[in-house]
């Protein structure tokens, strides 16, 4: 990716939103992300998987009170990429 | 960059981050109420010991604990009566609860076992609580907000000073632990109140 190009993983507003939430909170559960971003379960799952494959997000699955809970955390690579992306957006917006 | 504008993306990111923040309520009123109790309790104990009224110390200690639990319980009850925005029970909120529970449980255990086994002299138990508060505030700062980290460092330094000044231990620990809890606690409570007000004034998604 060239320095003046946008990160393809952030071309989707849902993925941008997921990373923005995780940057703010450090981690968030699947229902929290769904509620905050106002997306469907399937849509969120697809975007979360793409971010995970890109190494921007780490997803943990566990059972709490016999119910599955999925928690997403932002990785260092994700944090750095998001900051670069927002800086680039801000610079071009000036 | 496709039809969507860069300005839209930036505005979206800001909006999402603001929404993500306002769902965090660390129940900081517990820090404020216990900080206020300790602010008065520890110096009072020091003064009672100095003036030879050791018999009153037990009753003052019990009264302080009852007052602290009553205040915390009352404020928690008030909190349950406020409208709860969706998804408010966040990961960060749960982490704060776990940190506080672990630190309080560890300090309570040491306060009981330490003097019983003579590993910690009874009159030095407040030092244990000073270090517990320092670790608790610092850890809350790591997961929530930096002001708690600074408060943790402040309480830690104050507790070390109290360790070196055994005769003035309560006079040092009271203000250090009290202010170290009250100041970040009030800041957090004001932030939660402000964000909640903004949310009430905004249309639902």
């Amino acid at each position: 990716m060239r320095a003046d190009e946008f990160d393809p993983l952030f071309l989707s507003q849902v993925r941008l939103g997921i990373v923005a939430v995780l940057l703010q909170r450090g981690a968030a559960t699947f229902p929290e992300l769904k509620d905050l971003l106002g997306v469907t379960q399937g849509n969120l799952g697809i975007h979360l998987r793409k971010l995970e494959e890109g190494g921007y997000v780490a997803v943990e699955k566990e059972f709490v009170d016999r119910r599955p809970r999925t928690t997403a955390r932002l990785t260092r690579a994700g944090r750095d990429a998001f900051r670069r992306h927002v800086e680039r957006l801000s610079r071009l917006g000036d | 960059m496709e039809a969507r504008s860069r300005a839209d993306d930036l505005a979206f990111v800001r909006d999402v981050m603001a929404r993500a923040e306002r769902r965090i309520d660390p129940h900081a009123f517990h820090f404020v109420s216990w900080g206020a109790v300790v602010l008065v309790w520890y110096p009072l104990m020091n003064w009672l010991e100095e003036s030879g009224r050791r018999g009153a110390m037990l009753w003052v200690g019990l009264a302080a604990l009852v007052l602290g639990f009553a205040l915390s319980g009352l404020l928690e009850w008030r909190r349950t009566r406020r409208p709860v925005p969706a998804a408010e029970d966040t990961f960060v909120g749960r982490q704060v609860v776990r940190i506080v529970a672990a630190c309080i449980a560890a300090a309570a255990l040491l306060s009981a076992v330490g003097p019983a086994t003579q590993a910690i002299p009874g009159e030095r138990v407040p030092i244990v609580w000073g270090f517990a508060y320092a670790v608790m505030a610092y850890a809350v700062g790591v997961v929530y907000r930096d002001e708690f980290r600074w408060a943790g460092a402040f309480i830690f330094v104050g507790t070390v000073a109290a360790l070196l000044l055994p005769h003035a231990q309560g006079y040092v620990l009271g203000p250090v632990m009290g202010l170290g809890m009250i100041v970040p606690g009030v800041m957090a409570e004001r932030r939660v109140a402000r964000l909640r007000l903004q949310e009430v004034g905004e249309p639902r998604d």
Side-chain angles (χ1 to χ4, degrees):
Chain A
M1 188 175 66
R2 288 197 341 253
D4 59 339
E5 277 180 349
F6 285 101
D7 190 328
L9 276 173
F10 291 135
L11 293 180
S12 149
Q13 223 171 42
V14 176
R15 291 197 290 271
L16 205 54
I18 291 170
V19 177
V21 170
L22 296 179
L23 185 74
Q24 183 71 285
R25 294 190 175 187
T29 62
F30 199 88
E32 285 168 2
L33 284 169
K34 188 168 154 281
D35 178 75
L36 282 164
L37 299 170
V39 291
T40 63
Q41 198 163 321
N43 199 6
L44 178 61
I46 290 167
H47 288 295
L48 210 47
R49 201 173 309 126
K50 284 192 178 173
L51 287 169
E52 193 183 10
E53 284 165 5
Y56 288 3
V57 162
V59 176
E60 284 171 21
K61 291 176 194 285
E62 58 184 338
F63 279 88
V64 178
D65 297 330
R66 295 182 186 177
R67 295 171 70 180
R69 185 167 71 192
T70 302
T71 305
R73 291 170 200 276
L74 194 58
T75 62
R76 183 176 289 272
R79 180 175 290 118
D80 293 345
F82 181 76
R83 287 199 171 132
R84 275 198 304 274
H85 184 77
V86 170
E87 271 171 26
R88 206 164 289 154
L89 284 176
S90 307
R91 240 190 346 259
L92 291 173
D94 291 339
Chain B
M1 175 180 168
E2 63 186 348
R4 202 177 69 226
S5 77
R6 290 181 289 269
D8 279 352
D9 273 2
L10 277 175
F12 174 73
V13 166
R14 284 193 196 105
D15 177 56
V16 167
M17 288 181 82
R19 268 187 287 157
E21 184 189 42
R22 79 185 41 147
R23 308 292 173 91
I24 298 170
D25 181 354
H27 293 213
F29 47 81
H30 292 297
F31 296 111
V32 179
S33 56
W34 281 101
V37 168
V38 169
L39 182 66
V40 178
W41 176 16
Y42 280 7
L44 187 60
M45 295 289 263
N46 211 143
W47 179 76
L48 286 171
E49 193 174 15
E50 273 181 353
S51 55
R53 295 180 218 182
R54 285 182 158 264
M57 288 172 70
L58 175 68
W59 296 108
V60 169
L62 282 174
L65 287 173
V66 168
L67 180 66
F69 281 115
L71 262 176
S72 268
L74 180 71
L75 293 170
E76 188 66 49
W77 174 73
R78 268 188 58 196
R79 160 72 180 71
T80 60
R81 297 181 70 202
R82 292 186 207 154
V84 179
E88 181 171 5
D89 183 20
T90 64
F91 188 83
V92 174
R94 286 193 296 274
Q95 279 184 318
V96 169
V97 170
R98 283 178 193 147
I99 289 166
V100 171
C103 291
I104 298 295
L109 190 68
L110 279 173
S111 303
V113 174
T117 58
Q118 295 182 332
I120 302 168
E123 63 274 15
R124 301 303 260 165
V125 164
I127 296 286
V128 170
W129 284 94
F131 284 124
Y133 269 43
V135 171
M136 179 172 78
Y138 194 89
V140 168
V142 170
V143 300
Y144 176 53
R145 285 275 172 170
D146 273 349
E147 61 261 20
F148 280 92
R149 274 204 302 167
W150 288 110
F154 173 67
I155 297 171
F156 181 82
V157 171
T159 307
V160 171
L163 194 62
L164 300 173
L165 299 165
H167 298 297
Q169 159 182 297
Y171 295 133
V172 176
L173 277 180
V176 165
M177 289 167 67
L179 295 176
M181 288 282 110
I182 291 171
V183 172
V186 167
M187 286 169 77
E189 276 297 282
R190 289 181 65 167
R191 184 181 303 114
V192 169
R194 192 181 63 241
L195 294 172
R196 195 183 293 274
L197 198 66
Q198 284 172 7
E199 186 169 74
V200 169
E202 285 177 1
R204 286 276 171 195
D205 293 341

